[in-house]
Amino acid sequence: MSILGNILGKIFKRRETAAPAPAPTASPTSAPAPTAAAQPVDVDGILDFMNEQRDQKLNWRTSIVDLMKLTGMDSTLAERKELASELGYTGDTSDTATMNIWLHKQVIARIRADGGQIRDLTD
């Protein structure tokens, strides 16, 4: 599985185990009920809860390193460079500050695209 896939899986799986969707009660002739994935996911709440359980508080809202650590991922430079390659980063991976900012924005955008609700940093 990809690094991004692992991050998303840990966030969205956490939601599924925390609050299981009610069982569908569709009759054989009716259309299937929408899946839980179509529902908005409170990623702020999930990640804040995960962060509250830690002794070391992480700034997942602005740091890709902290976001990866919080979701149990390896946040080494090698892993971040692999994630950058996976996401199509065309900048200089030796400029880690710029790459990390770009990575964080891309991962947050993907979380939102997959139905995750995260407040804007300007809120």
Side-chain angles (χ1 to χ4, degrees), residues 16-53:
E16 291 168 7
T17 59
T25 57
S27 67
T29 58
S30 68
T35 63
Q39 301 293 323
V41 177
D42 178 15
V43 174
D44 280 317
I46 292 168
L47 294 177
D48 284 343
F49 176 78
M50 290 169 68
N51 204 19
E52 289 168 7
Q53 307 308 305

Side-chain angles (χ1 to χ4, degrees), residues 64-101:
I64 189 64
V65 171
D66 285 2
L67 178 59
M68 291 174 79
K69 284 181 183 178
L70 186 60
T71 58
M73 304 293 300
D74 183 359
S75 63
T76 62
L77 179 57
E79 287 293 304
R80 286 179 280 128
K81 284 183 176 183
E82 187 175 331
L83 178 59
S85 174
E86 197 178 295
L87 294 174
Y89 183 65
T90 59
D92 179 5
T93 57
S94 296
D95 181 0
T96 58
T98 300
M99 179 183 71
N100 288 346
I101 292 166

Side-chain angles (χ1 to χ4, degrees), residues 59-62 104-105 112 118-123:
N59 188 4
W60 67 266
R61 292 181 187 280
T62 59
H104 189 268
K105 287 180 181 179
R112 286 181 173 141
I118 299 177
R119 285 190 323 267
D120 286 332
L121 296 177
T122 57
D123 289 352

